Amino acid sequence: CATCGREMSLTFHHLVPKSQHRRTWCKRRFDKEQRQSGIDVCRDCHSAFHRFATESELARAYHTVEALMAHPDIGTFVRWVSTQKGRHRTAPKRR
């Protein structure tokens, strides 16, 4: 996994969520290649990204691995899950 480093089945995470690709602000900010770029992550980390940030927030503020890890909830979860074996669900949403 590109974030927690565990060796597990991986899923593809678009750094700019596909739901945002047609939005005008997104087209102005990111070229097609940037919109299509992503990382391979485990299901636990992928679920955490979408649990702790909206798709708009992911596109606007968390479109790099460094930014994702800087998010307080995502970073905390990824650091914890990196020490675990097997699948772990994310904690309930805190909003």
Side-chain angles (χ1 to χ4, degrees):
C1 173
T3 52
C4 72
R6 297 181 304 159
E7 291 187 26
M8 301 184 75
S9 297
L10 301 176
T11 63
F12 185 77
H13 171 70
H14 283 92
L15 290 169
V16 177
K18 289 177 76 175
S19 66
Q20 304 300 302
H21 288 190
R22 290 188 177 186
R23 299 186 181 272
T24 303
W25 68 265
C26 189
K27 287 181 181 180
R28 287 184 184 144
R29 185 168 179 186
F30 303 105
D31 64 29
K32 185 175 181 177
E33 185 175 318
Q34 290 171 314
R35 290 192 308 268
Q36 294 298 325
S37 69
I39 54 176
D40 290 320
V41 293
C42 67
R43 172 50 52 200
D44 294 331
C45 290
H46 200 165
S47 295
F49 302 160
H50 292 282
R51 172 158 302 276
F52 296 122
T54 65
E55 298 217 335
S56 178
E57 289 171 334
L58 288 170
R60 291 178 189 270
Y62 302 107
H63 53 271
T64 65
V65 174
E66 295 78 17
L68 284 167
M69 295 303 291
H71 184 286
D73 294 326
I74 293 171
T76 298
F77 178 83
V78 170
R79 284 187 294 279
W80 172 78
V81 84
S82 70
T83 66
Q84 306 301 305
K85 292 182 180 182
R87 287 272 331 261
H88 295 277
R89 293 180 181 221
T90 55
K93 244 183 195 178
R94 290 192 273 167
R95 288 198 189 254

